[in-house]
PDB file of all heavy atoms in Angstrom:
ATOM      1  N   ASN A  15      25.298 -17.290  44.128  1.00 72.00           N
ATOM      2  CA  ASN A  15      25.220 -17.759  45.504  1.00 72.00           C
ATOM      3  C   ASN A  15      26.588 -18.238  45.975  1.00 72.00           C
ATOM      4  O   ASN A  15      27.583 -18.224  45.233  1.00 72.00           O
ATOM      5  CB  ASN A  15      24.162 -18.860  45.645  1.00 72.00           C
ATOM      6  CG  ASN A  15      24.460 -20.055  44.746  1.00 72.00           C
ATOM      7  OD1 ASN A  15      25.614 -20.330  44.409  1.00 72.00           O
ATOM      8  ND2 ASN A  15      23.423 -20.774  44.352  1.00 72.00           N
ATOM      9  N   SER A  18      28.302 -21.048  43.975  1.00 82.00           N
ATOM     10  CA  SER A  18      28.792 -20.600  42.669  1.00 82.00           C
ATOM     11  C   SER A  18      30.146 -19.910  42.800  1.00 82.00           C
ATOM     12  O   SER A  18      31.058 -20.140  41.995  1.00 82.00           O
ATOM     13  CB  SER A  18      27.785 -19.650  42.023  1.00 82.00           C
ATOM     14  OG  SER A  18      26.557 -20.312  41.775  1.00 82.00           O
ATOM     15  N   VAL A  24      37.474 -22.544  42.526  1.00 94.00           N
ATOM     16  CA  VAL A  24      38.065 -23.867  42.295  1.00 94.00           C
ATOM     17  C   VAL A  24      38.460 -24.022  40.827  1.00 94.00           C
ATOM     18  O   VAL A  24      39.556 -24.513  40.513  1.00 94.00           O
ATOM     19  CB  VAL A  24      37.089 -24.980  42.725  1.00 94.00           C
ATOM     20  CG1 VAL A  24      37.590 -26.350  42.260  1.00 94.00           C
ATOM     21  CG2 VAL A  24      36.917 -24.985  44.242  1.00 94.00           C
ATOM     22  N   VAL A  33      47.653 -24.628  33.332  1.00 97.00           N
ATOM     23  CA  VAL A  33      48.525 -23.789  32.505  1.00 97.00           C
ATOM     24  C   VAL A  33      49.969 -23.892  33.002  1.00 97.00           C
ATOM     25  O   VAL A  33      50.914 -23.957  32.197  1.00 97.00           O
ATOM     26  CB  VAL A  33      48.047 -22.325  32.508  1.00 97.00           C
ATOM     27  CG1 VAL A  33      49.062 -21.425  31.800  1.00 97.00           C
ATOM     28  CG2 VAL A  33      46.696 -22.211  31.828  1.00 97.00           C
ATOM     29  N   SER A  57      43.938 -19.892  45.979  1.00 95.00           N
ATOM     30  CA  SER A  57      43.678 -20.887  47.027  1.00 95.00           C
ATOM     31  C   SER A  57      43.580 -20.231  48.397  1.00 95.00           C
ATOM     32  O   SER A  57      42.758 -20.620  49.231  1.00 95.00           O
ATOM     33  CB  SER A  57      44.784 -21.949  47.040  1.00 95.00           C
ATOM     34  OG  SER A  57      44.827 -22.677  45.842  1.00 95.00           O
ATOM     35  N   GLY A  74      36.846 -29.781  57.546  1.00 73.00           N
ATOM     36  CA  GLY A  74      36.025 -30.846  58.103  1.00 73.00           C
ATOM     37  C   GLY A  74      35.265 -31.717  57.133  1.00 73.00           C
ATOM     38  O   GLY A  74      34.557 -32.614  57.572  1.00 73.00           O
ATOM     39  N   ASN A  75      35.358 -31.480  55.811  1.00 81.00           N
ATOM     40  CA  ASN A  75      34.692 -32.380  54.870  1.00 81.00           C
ATOM     41  C   ASN A  75      35.560 -32.513  53.624  1.00 81.00           C
ATOM     42  O   ASN A  75      36.556 -31.803  53.460  1.00 81.00           O
ATOM     43  CB  ASN A  75      33.280 -31.892  54.528  1.00 81.00           C
ATOM     44  CG  ASN A  75      33.259 -30.496  53.932  1.00 81.00           C
ATOM     45  OD1 ASN A  75      33.800 -30.267  52.854  1.00 81.00           O
ATOM     46  ND2 ASN A  75      32.641 -29.544  54.644  1.00 81.00           N
ATOM     47  N   LEU A  92      58.610 -24.745  47.287  1.00 91.00           N
ATOM     48  CA  LEU A  92      59.728 -23.829  47.496  1.00 91.00           C
ATOM     49  C   LEU A  92      60.852 -24.518  48.266  1.00 91.00           C
ATOM     50  O   LEU A  92      62.037 -24.334  47.963  1.00 91.00           O
ATOM     51  CB  LEU A  92      59.259 -22.583  48.248  1.00 91.00           C
ATOM     52  CG  LEU A  92      58.317 -21.648  47.481  1.00 91.00           C
ATOM     53  CD1 LEU A  92      57.912 -20.470  48.355  1.00 91.00           C
ATOM     54  CD2 LEU A  92      58.967 -21.150  46.194  1.00 91.00           C
ATOM     55  N   LYS A  96      64.520 -24.906  46.774  1.00 87.00           N
ATOM     56  CA  LYS A  96      65.655 -24.207  47.367  1.00 87.00           C
ATOM     57  C   LYS A  96      66.588 -25.129  48.156  1.00 87.00           C
ATOM     58  O   LYS A  96      67.807 -24.927  48.159  1.00 87.00           O
ATOM     59  CB  LYS A  96      65.148 -23.094  48.282  1.00 87.00           C
ATOM     60  CG  LYS A  96      64.387 -21.986  47.562  1.00 87.00           C
ATOM     61  CD  LYS A  96      65.288 -21.238  46.582  1.00 87.00           C
ATOM     62  CE  LYS A  96      64.554 -20.051  45.977  1.00 87.00           C
ATOM     63  NZ  LYS A  96      65.424 -19.299  45.016  1.00 87.00           N
ATOM     64  N   TYR A 106      55.052 -30.990  38.399  1.00 93.00           N
ATOM     65  CA  TYR A 106      54.463 -32.115  39.135  1.00 93.00           C
ATOM     66  C   TYR A 106      53.668 -31.613  40.344  1.00 93.00           C
ATOM     67  O   TYR A 106      52.606 -32.156  40.659  1.00 93.00           O
ATOM     68  CB  TYR A 106      55.569 -33.091  39.562  1.00 93.00           C
ATOM     69  CG  TYR A 106      56.231 -33.728  38.373  1.00 93.00           C
ATOM     70  CD1 TYR A 106      57.358 -33.163  37.793  1.00 93.00           C
ATOM     71  CD2 TYR A 106      55.703 -34.876  37.792  1.00 93.00           C
ATOM     72  CE1 TYR A 106      57.958 -33.730  36.681  1.00 93.00           C
ATOM     73  CE2 TYR A 106      56.293 -35.455  36.680  1.00 93.00           C
ATOM     74  CZ  TYR A 106      57.415 -34.881  36.129  1.00 93.00           C
ATOM     75  OH  TYR A 106      57.976 -35.436  35.017  1.00 93.00           O
ATOM     76  N   SER A 111      48.207 -30.344  42.392  1.00 93.00           N
ATOM     77  CA  SER A 111      47.206 -29.350  42.795  1.00 93.00           C
ATOM     78  C   SER A 111      45.980 -29.424  41.899  1.00 93.00           C
ATOM     79  O   SER A 111      44.838 -29.355  42.371  1.00 93.00           O
ATOM     80  CB  SER A 111      47.816 -27.943  42.740  1.00 93.00           C
ATOM     81  OG  SER A 111      48.900 -27.817  43.635  1.00 93.00           O
ATOM     82  N   LEU A 133      35.267 -32.037  66.872  1.00 65.00           N
ATOM     83  CA  LEU A 133      36.259 -31.311  66.082  1.00 65.00           C
ATOM     84  C   LEU A 133      36.741 -30.035  66.753  1.00 65.00           C
ATOM     85  O   LEU A 133      37.680 -29.404  66.279  1.00 65.00           O
ATOM     86  CB  LEU A 133      35.673 -30.962  64.708  1.00 65.00           C
ATOM     87  CG  LEU A 133      35.297 -32.128  63.800  1.00 65.00           C
ATOM     88  CD1 LEU A 133      34.763 -31.616  62.476  1.00 65.00           C
ATOM     89  CD2 LEU A 133      36.491 -33.039  63.556  1.00 65.00           C
ATOM     90  N   PRO A 140      46.280 -28.842  63.137  1.00 88.00           N
ATOM     91  CA  PRO A 140      47.572 -29.488  62.842  1.00 88.00           C
ATOM     92  C   PRO A 140      47.440 -30.927  62.351  1.00 88.00           C
ATOM     93  O   PRO A 140      48.191 -31.364  61.477  1.00 88.00           O
ATOM     94  CB  PRO A 140      48.331 -29.412  64.168  1.00 88.00           C
ATOM     95  CG  PRO A 140      47.308 -29.126  65.210  1.00 88.00           C
ATOM     96  CD  PRO A 140      46.225 -28.362  64.528  1.00 88.00           C
ATOM     97  N   PHE A 172      64.251 -39.517  38.397  1.00 92.00           N
ATOM     98  CA  PHE A 172      62.876 -39.440  38.887  1.00 92.00           C
ATOM     99  C   PHE A 172      62.706 -40.202  40.202  1.00 92.00           C
ATOM    100  O   PHE A 172      61.977 -39.759  41.091  1.00 92.00           O
ATOM    101  CB  PHE A 172      61.907 -39.965  37.829  1.00 92.00           C
ATOM    102  CG  PHE A 172      61.672 -39.005  36.708  1.00 92.00           C
ATOM    103  CD1 PHE A 172      62.391 -39.102  35.530  1.00 92.00           C
ATOM    104  CD2 PHE A 172      60.765 -37.975  36.838  1.00 92.00           C
ATOM    105  CE1 PHE A 172      62.181 -38.196  34.493  1.00 92.00           C
ATOM    106  CE2 PHE A 172      60.541 -37.061  35.817  1.00 92.00           C
ATOM    107  CZ  PHE A 172      61.259 -37.179  34.638  1.00 92.00           C
ATOM    108  N   HIS A 177      62.025 -40.249  46.040  1.00 94.00           N
ATOM    109  CA  HIS A 177      62.520 -40.604  47.377  1.00 94.00           C
ATOM    110  C   HIS A 177      62.562 -39.373  48.282  1.00 94.00           C
ATOM    111  O   HIS A 177      62.107 -39.422  49.430  1.00 94.00           O
ATOM    112  CB  HIS A 177      63.922 -41.210  47.253  1.00 94.00           C
ATOM    113  CG  HIS A 177      64.549 -41.546  48.560  1.00 94.00           C
ATOM    114  ND1 HIS A 177      64.339 -42.744  49.210  1.00 94.00           N
ATOM    115  CD2 HIS A 177      65.376 -40.821  49.377  1.00 94.00           C
ATOM    116  CE1 HIS A 177      65.005 -42.755  50.353  1.00 94.00           C
ATOM    117  NE2 HIS A 177      65.638 -41.608  50.479  1.00 94.00           N
ATOM    118  N   MET A 187      53.093 -37.506  57.800  1.00 95.00           N
ATOM    119  CA  MET A 187      52.110 -38.569  57.985  1.00 95.00           C
ATOM    120  C   MET A 187      52.237 -39.174  59.386  1.00 95.00           C
ATOM    121  O   MET A 187      51.234 -39.493  60.037  1.00 95.00           O
ATOM    122  CB  MET A 187      52.310 -39.649  56.919  1.00 95.00           C
ATOM    123  CG  MET A 187      51.223 -40.710  56.888  1.00 95.00           C
ATOM    124  SD  MET A 187      51.439 -41.895  55.540  1.00 95.00           S
ATOM    125  CE  MET A 187      51.044 -40.868  54.122  1.00 95.00           C
ATOM    126  N   TRP A 197      44.431 -36.981  70.002  1.00 82.00           N
ATOM    127  CA  TRP A 197      43.119 -36.342  69.896  1.00 82.00           C
ATOM    128  C   TRP A 197      42.011 -37.335  70.220  1.00 82.00           C
ATOM    129  O   TRP A 197      41.053 -37.010  70.931  1.00 82.00           O
ATOM    130  CB  TRP A 197      42.972 -35.796  68.482  1.00 82.00           C
ATOM    131  CG  TRP A 197      41.716 -35.043  68.195  1.00 82.00           C
ATOM    132  CD1 TRP A 197      40.733 -34.678  69.071  1.00 82.00           C
ATOM    133  CD2 TRP A 197      41.313 -34.543  66.924  1.00 82.00           C
ATOM    134  NE1 TRP A 197      39.738 -33.992  68.421  1.00 82.00           N
ATOM    135  CE2 TRP A 197      40.071 -33.887  67.100  1.00 82.00           C
ATOM    136  CE3 TRP A 197      41.883 -34.576  65.651  1.00 82.00           C
ATOM    137  CZ2 TRP A 197      39.394 -33.281  66.043  1.00 82.00           C
ATOM    138  CZ3 TRP A 197      41.214 -33.970  64.607  1.00 82.00           C
ATOM    139  CH2 TRP A 197      39.978 -33.335  64.794  1.00 82.00           C
ATOM    140  N   ALA A 201      39.036 -37.011  72.929  1.00 69.00           N
ATOM    141  CA  ALA A 201      37.640 -36.911  72.489  1.00 69.00           C
ATOM    142  C   ALA A 201      36.817 -38.152  72.828  1.00 69.00           C
ATOM    143  O   ALA A 201      35.637 -38.048  73.165  1.00 69.00           O
ATOM    144  CB  ALA A 201      37.597 -36.668  70.983  1.00 69.00           C
ATOM    145  N   TRP A 202      37.441 -39.342  72.706  1.00 71.00           N
ATOM    146  CA  TRP A 202      36.696 -40.591  72.823  1.00 71.00           C
ATOM    147  C   TRP A 202      37.163 -41.488  73.972  1.00 71.00           C
ATOM    148  O   TRP A 202      36.624 -42.562  74.180  1.00 71.00           O
ATOM    149  CB  TRP A 202      36.783 -41.379  71.505  1.00 71.00           C
ATOM    150  CG  TRP A 202      36.196 -40.640  70.340  1.00 71.00           C
ATOM    151  CD1 TRP A 202      35.080 -39.854  70.349  1.00 71.00           C
ATOM    152  CD2 TRP A 202      36.686 -40.618  69.002  1.00 71.00           C
ATOM    153  NE1 TRP A 202      34.840 -39.333  69.095  1.00 71.00           N
ATOM    154  CE2 TRP A 202      35.809 -39.795  68.241  1.00 71.00           C
ATOM    155  CE3 TRP A 202      37.765 -41.225  68.349  1.00 71.00           C
ATOM    156  CZ2 TRP A 202      36.007 -39.548  66.881  1.00 71.00           C
ATOM    157  CZ3 TRP A 202      37.951 -40.971  66.994  1.00 71.00           C
ATOM    158  CH2 TRP A 202      37.085 -40.148  66.282  1.00 71.00           C
ATOM    159  N   LEU A 216      47.009 -46.675  59.344  1.00 93.00           N
ATOM    160  CA  LEU A 216      48.157 -47.428  59.839  1.00 93.00           C
ATOM    161  C   LEU A 216      48.780 -48.270  58.728  1.00 93.00           C
ATOM    162  O   LEU A 216      50.010 -48.347  58.603  1.00 93.00           O
ATOM    163  CB  LEU A 216      47.728 -48.319  61.006  1.00 93.00           C
ATOM    164  CG  LEU A 216      48.839 -49.108  61.693  1.00 93.00           C
ATOM    165  CD1 LEU A 216      49.873 -48.161  62.301  1.00 93.00           C
ATOM    166  CD2 LEU A 216      48.254 -50.019  62.777  1.00 93.00           C
ATOM    167  N   VAL A 217      47.935 -48.899  57.896  1.00 95.00           N
ATOM    168  CA  VAL A 217      48.433 -49.684  56.763  1.00 95.00           C
ATOM    169  C   VAL A 217      49.233 -48.789  55.814  1.00 95.00           C
ATOM    170  O   VAL A 217      50.331 -49.147  55.363  1.00 95.00           O
ATOM    171  CB  VAL A 217      47.269 -50.364  56.023  1.00 95.00           C
ATOM    172  CG1 VAL A 217      47.754 -50.957  54.696  1.00 95.00           C
ATOM    173  CG2 VAL A 217      46.648 -51.454  56.885  1.00 95.00           C
ATOM    174  N   ARG A 234      67.032 -53.509  43.238  1.00 91.00           N
ATOM    175  CA  ARG A 234      65.819 -53.422  44.056  1.00 91.00           C
ATOM    176  C   ARG A 234      64.878 -52.325  43.563  1.00 91.00           C
ATOM    177  O   ARG A 234      63.926 -51.981  44.265  1.00 91.00           O
ATOM    178  CB  ARG A 234      66.202 -53.151  45.523  1.00 91.00           C
ATOM    179  CG  ARG A 234      67.133 -54.184  46.134  1.00 91.00           C
ATOM    180  CD  ARG A 234      66.560 -55.603  46.061  1.00 91.00           C
ATOM    181  NE  ARG A 234      65.332 -55.726  46.818  1.00 91.00           N
ATOM    182  CZ  ARG A 234      65.280 -55.979  48.117  1.00 91.00           C
ATOM    183  NH1 ARG A 234      66.400 -56.145  48.808  1.00 91.00           N
ATOM    184  NH2 ARG A 234      64.117 -56.101  48.721  1.00 91.00           N
ATOM    185  N   ALA A 248      46.843 -47.700  49.115  1.00 95.00           N
ATOM    186  CA  ALA A 248      46.301 -47.698  50.474  1.00 95.00           C
ATOM    187  C   ALA A 248      45.907 -46.289  50.898  1.00 95.00           C
ATOM    188  O   ALA A 248      44.899 -46.082  51.590  1.00 95.00           O
ATOM    189  CB  ALA A 248      47.320 -48.281  51.445  1.00 95.00           C
ATOM    190  N   PHE A 253      41.858 -42.119  52.158  1.00 87.00           N
ATOM    191  CA  PHE A 253      41.382 -40.753  51.927  1.00 87.00           C
ATOM    192  C   PHE A 253      40.029 -40.713  51.218  1.00 87.00           C
ATOM    193  O   PHE A 253      39.176 -39.880  51.545  1.00 87.00           O
ATOM    194  CB  PHE A 253      42.424 -39.996  51.102  1.00 87.00           C
ATOM    195  CG  PHE A 253      42.082 -38.557  50.853  1.00 87.00           C
ATOM    196  CD1 PHE A 253      41.772 -37.700  51.909  1.00 87.00           C
ATOM    197  CD2 PHE A 253      42.067 -38.045  49.568  1.00 87.00           C
ATOM    198  CE1 PHE A 253      41.462 -36.366  51.684  1.00 87.00           C
ATOM    199  CE2 PHE A 253      41.756 -36.717  49.331  1.00 87.00           C
ATOM    200  CZ  PHE A 253      41.455 -35.878  50.393  1.00 87.00           C
ATOM    201  N   VAL A 256      37.161 -44.980  52.102  1.00 79.00           N
ATOM    202  CA  VAL A 256      36.564 -45.071  53.438  1.00 79.00           C
ATOM    203  C   VAL A 256      35.552 -43.945  53.658  1.00 79.00           C
ATOM    204  O   VAL A 256      34.504 -44.146  54.281  1.00 79.00           O
ATOM    205  CB  VAL A 256      37.665 -45.028  54.516  1.00 79.00           C
ATOM    206  CG1 VAL A 256      37.051 -44.875  55.911  1.00 79.00           C
ATOM    207  CG2 VAL A 256      38.510 -46.298  54.458  1.00 79.00           C
TER     208      VAL A 256
END
Side-chain angles (χ1 to χ4, degrees):
N15 59 27
S18 297
V24 170
V33 172
S57 297
N75 58 64
L92 292 179
K96 295 296 186 180
Y106 295 91
S111 298
L133 297 181
F172 284 96
H177 177 86
M187 188 176 289
W197 183 6
W202 299 322
L216 184 61
V217 169
R234 303 303 297 275
F253 183 53
V256 170

